[in-house]
């Protein structure tokens, strides 16, 4: 796995975003544009899931969104690992 960038000399930023009608202040080292993009994708995924499951409350919707997102991430990691191995062979 790749390492994380050194952040000890950087200041944390506070970025306020809206996700599915709720405001959140995100504190971290990522630039605000990145945070806005992440928030936008989370909101989009929540709306997609809600469209297919109208009766979900927000808590269950958030959990399903997290599960779907982590599942997609794992698939991407597995594909990246496979491609790296293919290049090495």
């Amino acid at each position: 796995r790749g390492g994380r960038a050194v952040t000890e000399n950087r200041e944390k930023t506070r970025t306020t975003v809206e996700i599915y009608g709720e405001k959140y202040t995100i504190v971290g080292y990522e630039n605000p544009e990145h945070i806005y993009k992440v928030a936008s994708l989370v909101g989009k995924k929540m709306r997609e899931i809600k469209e297919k499951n109208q009766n979900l409350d927000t808590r269950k919707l958030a959990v399903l969104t997290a599960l779907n997102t982590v599942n997609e991430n794992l698939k991407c990691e597995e594909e990246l690992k496979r491609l790296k191995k293919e290049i090495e062979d």
Side-chain angles (χ1 to χ4, degrees), residues 31-48:
N31 68 44
E33 291 77 25
H34 178 81
I35 300 299
Y36 293 135
K37 185 173 184 177
V38 170
S40 174
L41 291 170
V42 169
K44 180 181 176 188
K45 179 61 77 176
M46 289 181 79
R47 288 187 299 277
E48 287 173 4

Side-chain angles (χ1 to χ4, degrees), residues 4-84:
R4 292 201 176 261
V6 176
T7 56
E8 53 196 49
N9 292 330
R10 293 176 55 195
E11 283 190 35
K12 287 184 178 181
T13 60
R14 297 172 66 83
T15 306
T16 301
V17 297
E18 187 172 318
I19 303 171
Y20 207 72
E22 295 286 329
K23 289 191 187 251
Y24 298 90
T25 299
I26 310 300
V27 179
Y29 296 104
E30 299 291 346
N31 68 44
E33 291 77 25
H34 178 81
I35 300 299
Y36 293 135
K37 185 173 184 177
V38 170
S40 174
L41 291 170
V42 169
K44 180 181 176 188
K45 179 61 77 176
M46 289 181 79
R47 288 187 299 277
E48 287 173 4
I49 293 171
K50 181 68 172 186
E51 199 173 285
K52 296 173 186 170
N53 301 278
Q54 294 290 321
N55 295 326
L56 288 177
D57 62 32
T58 303
R59 184 182 59 80
K60 288 182 180 177
L61 177 60
V63 170
L64 282 178
T65 300
L67 286 169
N68 275 271
T69 303
V70 170
N71 180 50
E72 290 171 10
N73 186 55
L74 284 173
K75 285 181 180 180
C76 287
E77 286 180 5
E78 290 166 0
E79 178 68 3
L80 179 60
K81 186 177 178 181
R82 185 190 68 76
L83 290 171
K84 283 182 177 179

